[in-house]
Amino acid sequence: MKLCHALAVLIIAWLAVIGHVQAVTLEVNQGNSTCIKAELSASFSITYNTSSGTRTAQVSLPDSSTVDAGSSSCGTDGSSPWLVAVFGAGHALGLGFSTNGSLYSVANLTLQYNLSDTSVFPDSDSLDVVTVVSSSLGIWATINTTYRCESPTTFSVGSASVTFSGMRLEAYMPQNDLSPTESVCTADQASTAAPPTTPGTTTTPAPPPTPPGIPERGAYSVSNINGSVCLLARMGLQLNVSYFSLSQNKTIQELVNLSPNETIVSGSCEPSSASLVLTQEPIATLNLTFTLNSTNSRYRLSAITLLANWSDMTAPFWASNTSLDYLRSTLGRSYMCNAEQTLAVVPTFSLNTFRVQVQPFEVTTNQFATAEECQIDQTQMLIPIIVGAALAGLVLIVLIAYLIGRKRSHAGYQTI
Ligand SMILES: *[C@@H]1O[C@H](CO)[C@@H](O)[C@H](O)[C@H]1NC(C)=O
Ligand SMILES: *[C@@H]1O[C@H](CO)[C@@H](O)[C@H](O)[C@H]1NC(C)=O
Ligand SMILES: *[C@@H]1O[C@H](CO)[C@@H](O)[C@H](O)[C@H]1NC(C)=O
Ligand SMILES: *[C@@H]1O[C@H](CO)[C@@H](O)[C@H](O)[C@H]1NC(C)=O
Ligand SMILES: *[C@@H]1O[C@H](CO)[C@@H](O)[C@H](O)[C@H]1NC(C)=O
Ligand SMILES: *[C@@H]1O[C@H](CO)[C@@H](O)[C@H](O)[C@H]1NC(C)=O
Ligand SMILES: *[C@@H]1O[C@H](CO)[C@@H](O)[C@H](O)[C@H]1NC(C)=O
Ligand SMILES: *[C@@H]1O[C@H](CO)[C@@H](O)[C@H](O)[C@H]1NC(C)=O
Ligand SMILES: *[C@@H]1O[C@H](CO)[C@@H](O)[C@H](O)[C@H]1NC(C)=O
Ligand SMILES: *[C@@H]1O[C@H](CO)[C@@H](O)[C@H](O)[C@H]1NC(C)=O
Ligand SMILES: *[C@@H]1O[C@H](CO)[C@@H](O)[C@H](O)[C@H]1NC(C)=O
Ligand SMILES: *[C@@H]1O[C@H](CO)[C@@H](O)[C@H](O)[C@H]1NC(C)=O
């Protein structure tokens, strides 16, 4: 991309939160204007194979990293904006961006590393240049604001992990420097008691959206392209979110019930993954993703994502965890749990479920298949059975005792 002339300004080598990781400044330019700017520290933990087993290399993004003008792009030619920083002997870190007009996000993170570089990967049994990609990182901000996240945040990419800290980042920049208004990541909101600086917050505080209580049970379904229902769910859902409240000037814990009659249902079904997306405008979008393990024909709720923009928040709340293991059941069955369950997602967000029945795969004739009941329900059902059995036993003993006693007294009577 010739138009794009990129440059990397680095410097300010302050010691970041984790060890000797340096802060690096990277910019993608086109003509005289800057479209992407990032100030961040990054460290990588890369697992590779040696002849005697696996090893993990620790690398940090050095201050000598430069923006690769050839592969970076402002995305003006219809492609997506892309920041590619190169360092060392053929290693690279790439951040691809996307926007929908009101938000922008890091669409994917690419890490390229050169296993021939023996200073970083001693004894590697491969000499390949490996490229790994991860998408949906959850780094996003309102357009025309700077994304800020001081807290270390780790993402896994292939057999590597990338940890960012002290991050300030903006794409689709309106000016040549980072916007003064910031979208602060949830990790920072939770860890710092001080209210984040958000100039221009004149929003009037609003009361909590819905008072807590047991949430109403909703019936939701997702259809595939040809109109047949492929995912069925019946459940009551309650969000437990902690965020920084503008009106109360402190971090608060809020319980919000989803009202089924105000919820827009969408989703998708694929052979080995299915998702249910519940949107309650303008409160929240909750995304539940189920995955199927075809090896053992079992499915589970593997990812939960919440996006909430309540008027009392300093910045939209985003939380996601894609390595969950909840609501496990077998293919061809539905999952059922009448007892209340708490599904922990991230420290600042958990999801409470009530009277769940769900079937994300192999739904036929719009009906739930035979249910597999959760362990808590089975245990709870066991209690009345045990109590019943104990009572029956007691009655039997009393009866036998009575009969024996009666026979004895009868016999005694006769001998006299
Ligand atoms: C870039 O800036 C230089 C000097 O500041 C100016 O002469 C040139 O026209 C500018 N180019 C663009 C594309 O704006
Ligand atoms: C290491 O080797 C094993 C077996 O050959 C392979 O499955 C695995 O993907 C390799 N790991 C890496 C990080 O290359
Ligand atoms: C990988 O590293 C080796 C050794 O340092 C070097 O010769 C080679 O050019 C590097 N590959 C790339 C793609 O930069
Ligand atoms: C990364 O995301 C950008 C923007 O959405 C896209 O253009 C690019 O193809 C993606 N790269 C990979 C490797 O997925
Ligand atoms: C962009 O996406 C967010 C979250 O998905 C949504 O709330 C917003 O309405 C979208 N904006 C546009 C213009 O589509
Ligand atoms: C972002 O800022 C630019 C320039 O100031 C403006 O033209 C644009 O409308 C703004 N976009 C939004 C979504 O506020
Ligand atoms: C609907 O499409 C799916 C694949 O998308 C296919 O497996 C199924 O048989 C189709 N059902 C009907 C009724 O056409
Ligand atoms: C909400 O989450 C907080 C913190 O995780 C926890 O202490 C509290 O008990 C939860 N409340 C409910 C009703 O689940
Ligand atoms: C919020 O609380 C902090 C300390 O807890 C205080 O310094 C600040 O003035 C308060 N802001 C408002 C708007 O009340
Ligand atoms: C949804 O149901 C609740 C309680 O059942 C009711 O208070 C509310 O008005 C309903 N909202 C709509 C849009 O029907
Ligand atoms: C699928 O199940 C098999 C057998 O239990 C297990 O070894 C494997 O790790 C599972 N795969 C995934 C992706 O969870
Ligand atoms: C969040 O809500 C505020 C007002 O309530 C609105 O101005 C802002 O655009 C919303 N942000 C997103 C990302 O939807």
Side-chain angles (χ1 to χ4, degrees), residues 21-232:
V21 182
Q22 285 145 325
V24 179
T25 300
L26 304 161
E27 284 183 18
V28 180
N29 299 310
Q30 179 162 27
N32 288 349
S33 55
T34 307
C35 61
I36 306 173
K37 182 166 178 179
E39 295 173 1
L40 51 84
S41 303
S43 62
F44 313 101
S45 170
I46 303 166
T47 303
Y48 65 102
N49 283 339
T50 67
S51 52
S52 56
T54 61
R55 247 191 241 184
T56 302
Q58 302 289 346
V59 198
S60 60
L61 190 67
D63 56 12
S64 56
S65 309
T66 55
V67 169
D68 178 22
S71 31
S72 295
S73 148
C74 279
T76 38
D77 54 356
S79 64
S80 299
W82 207 331
L83 166 72
V84 180
V86 291
F87 58 99
H91 312 300
L93 171 71
L95 296 173
F97 294 86
S98 66
T99 183
N100 73 353
S102 55
L103 300 176
Y104 68 91
S105 63
V106 175
N108 56 41
L109 180 152
T110 314
L111 179 65
Q112 177 186 302
Y113 51 94
N114 181 358
L115 291 172
S116 320
D117 183 353
T118 48
S119 63
V120 179
F121 306 104
D123 306 327
S124 171
D125 64 4
S126 157
L127 299 177
D128 293 346
V129 174
V130 180
T131 304
V132 283
V133 184
S134 172
S135 54
S136 312
L137 308 181
I139 297 181
W140 66 243
T142 313
I143 207 128
N144 291 355
T145 70
T146 299
Y147 174 82
R148 192 187 84 191
C149 202
E150 299 293 340
S151 313
T153 325
T154 302
F155 303 99
S156 76
V157 229
S159 54
S161 70
V162 179
T163 302
F164 292 116
S165 60
M167 190 181 215
R168 292 178 79 226
L169 171 82
E170 188 171 4
Y172 305 96
M173 293 167 72
Q175 306 124 42
N176 284 343
D177 209 350
L178 293 175
S179 297
T181 313
E182 294 180 333
S183 293
V184 180
C185 68
T186 48
D188 281 9
Q189 291 175 29
S191 60
T192 55
T197 51
T198 42
T201 42
T202 49
T203 41
T204 46
T210 319
I214 302 281
E216 204 182 318
R217 193 183 195 205
Y220 309 107
S221 66
V222 177
S223 303
N224 59 20
I225 314 148
N226 52 19
S228 51
V229 172
C230 56
L231 183 153
L232 276 176

Side-chain angles (χ1 to χ4, degrees), residues 320-359:
S320 176
N321 190 335
T322 56
S323 53
L324 300 174
D325 190 12
Y326 294 127
L327 318 190
R328 288 183 298 265
S329 187
T330 312
L331 187 63
R333 298 280 184 86
S334 63
Y335 170 90
M336 184 144 106
C337 202
N338 283 312
E340 178 186 345
Q341 291 189 94
T342 296
L343 315 183
V345 181
V346 294
T348 53
F349 166 53
S350 57
L351 180 66
N352 295 331
T353 65
F354 300 78
R355 296 174 63 211
V356 179
Q357 184 166 16
V358 61
Q359 189 177 346

